[in-house]
Amino acid sequence: MATGSRESSFSSCASSCDFDDEGVRGTCEDASLCKRFAVSIGYWHDPYIEHLVRQSKERKAPEINRGYFARVHGVSQLIKAFLRKTECRCQILNLGAGMDTTFWKLKDEGLLPNKYFEVDFPMIVTRKLHTIKNKPLLFRPIMELHPEDTLQIGNHMLDSKRYAIIGADLRDLSELEEKLKKCNMNTQLPTLLITECVLVYMTPEQSANLLKWAARSFETAMFINYEQVNMDDRFGQIMIENLRRRQCDLAGVETCKSLESQKERLLLNGWETASAVNMMELYSGLPRAEVNRFEGDNLLIC
């Protein structure tokens, strides 16, 4: 049984799923482009994202840039708090990681856990692996931490001493667990699990199964979930309609009604405690120097 601090922040599939998942995979590209654009005009420092994500041809609205800054800052602060609490004697599982660069940034800051795992659709992992293998700035840090001569690497996975990336379907928990254990996931270590706009694309039953698996699999664990709330209001309905037009269904939208519904599903699926904040509350707590910098439009060219 999992114990310790668990927190919700901000709050088996046949081949026929490939078409259904195409729209979901497309959201990885959308989020990556938004982050790349915000970094390119100075919202935060990330020297790695330009090697994984192409520059967007369209400029993003200031509201989008600020939203991504708040998201990245909030998740980063929670990750670092967990690492400091455990003195980095822990592991991180980033589920639905996409083109995330957290591993490389943590290495630069001397804050790497015992091992950092990324999981995403095999198609996304294949693309990311191809880039990693061909970009010394990304590949060299992995090898610097890998004392052995050989590296386990394939089309859908890479396993090294401190970093692993795995192509797997989060709805197939037996496959997920098998692949993580092959890459030396340690259930005895304090474990931080991260999902950012991932659970909403799963049915409530599928996401509940994932949450239960996470709660029971590790002796001590914390879960960070960044996701939508208030999806019953007009803005939420417009988002749902726009995504449906792109063949992307929010299968888990009923769990995103409120902060309370987000906390409730964690508590109902094996987690001992849960807390949640909305993005306006998080934004109000950002460092004022940073907020003043971009609210004054000193760095906005869009």
Side-chain angles (χ1 to χ4, degrees):
M1 178 178 177
T3 61
S5 173
R6 298 163 172 91
E7 187 167 339
S8 172
S9 293
F10 320 108
S11 107
S12 157
C13 191
S15 60
S16 61
C17 282
D18 286 346
F19 175 77
D20 296 336
D21 293 337
E22 186 176 345
V24 178
R25 291 193 296 265
T27 65
C28 168
E29 178 81 356
D30 295 341
S32 300
L33 288 172
C34 289
K35 288 182 179 180
R36 169 74 198 275
F37 182 79
V39 167
S40 73
I41 59 172
Y43 271 83
W44 68 92
H45 180 64
D46 184 345
Y48 303 103
I49 194 167
E50 67 183 78
H51 298 283
L52 287 163
V53 183
R54 62 181 173 84
Q55 181 64 289
S56 175
K57 293 180 180 179
E58 62 177 84
R59 295 174 174 177
K60 308 299 180 182
E63 292 80 7
I64 293 176
N65 298 324
R66 294 170 189 174
Y68 272 96
F69 173 85
R71 170 180 170 175
V72 170
H73 179 85
V75 172
S76 176
Q77 290 303 106
L78 288 172
I79 291 172
K80 290 176 183 178
F82 185 85
L83 289 167
R84 293 185 177 110
K85 182 73 174 178
T86 60
E87 297 180 334
C88 294
R89 293 192 288 269
C90 62
Q91 62 189 358
I92 294 177
L93 275 61
N94 192 332
L95 306 177
M99 299 297 126
D100 189 75
T101 60
T102 299
F103 165 79
W104 291 273
K105 291 188 290 184
L106 289 177
K107 181 181 183 298
D108 287 346
E109 296 181 56
L111 283 174
L112 273 183
N114 282 25
K115 192 156 185 175
Y116 191 98
F117 297 82
E118 293 183 353
V119 181
D120 214 314
F121 286 116
M123 188 178 296
I124 290 174
V125 166
T126 297
R127 173 186 159 195
K128 190 170 186 176
L129 267 176
H130 176 77
T131 305
I132 289 172
K133 289 186 289 185
N134 289 283
K135 297 287 185 178
L137 189 72
L138 300 174
F139 193 62
R140 192 181 305 114
I142 296 170
M143 294 306 298
E144 287 173 354
L145 299 166
H146 189 70
E148 301 173 18
D149 292 335
T150 58
L151 187 71
Q152 292 190 53
I153 190 165
N155 289 332
H156 300 146
M157 64 84 66
L158 178 152
D159 183 32
S160 69
K161 180 73 173 176
R162 305 290 293 276
Y163 173 78
I165 180 170
I166 299 163
D169 190 329
L170 298 177
R171 297 163 297 193
D172 187 340
L173 294 175
S174 58
E175 177 199 39
L176 174 66
E177 184 167 353
E178 178 185 357
K179 289 184 175 182
L180 285 167
K181 285 183 175 178
K182 281 184 179 179
C183 292
N184 298 309
M185 177 184 73
N186 184 349
T187 59
Q188 308 301 308
L189 276 177
T191 301
L192 175 62
L193 301 104
I194 304 166
T195 54
E196 296 186 52
C197 293
V198 170
L199 302 184
V200 71
Y201 297 109
M202 305 166 72
T203 67
E205 180 182 7
Q206 290 165 344
S207 62
N209 288 338
L210 179 63
L211 291 171
K212 288 174 186 174
W213 170 82
R216 70 169 182 261
S217 294
F218 306 99
E219 286 196 2
T220 304
M222 176 177 170
F223 201 111
I224 299 173
N225 180 38
Y226 172 88
E227 199 163 57
Q228 297 90 335
V229 292
N230 302 328
M231 292 301 284
D232 285 338
D233 66 19
R234 182 57 186 151
F235 182 83
Q237 291 305 305
I238 291 172
M239 179 188 294
I240 292 170
E241 291 164 10
N242 287 341
L243 286 167
R244 279 179 179 161
R245 280 197 289 269
R246 298 173 54 191
Q247 307 299 315
C248 183
D249 187 35
L250 296 182
V253 72
E254 68 182 69
T255 60
C256 301
K257 291 180 179 178
S258 65
L259 293 179
E260 288 305 312
S261 68
Q262 289 282 9
K263 291 190 290 184
E264 182 181 19
R265 72 165 166 179
L266 285 162
L267 298 174
L268 289 174
N269 289 302
W271 295 89
E272 292 176 354
T273 62
S275 61
V277 297
N278 63 38
M279 290 303 292
M280 292 303 296
E281 188 177 345
L282 186 145
Y283 191 85
S284 67
L286 291 174
R288 294 319 303 170
E290 289 293 296
V291 173
N292 292 338
R293 181 171 63 89
F294 54 70
E295 282 192 346
D297 287 338
N298 292 327
L299 48 74
L300 295 177
I301 58 172
C302 52

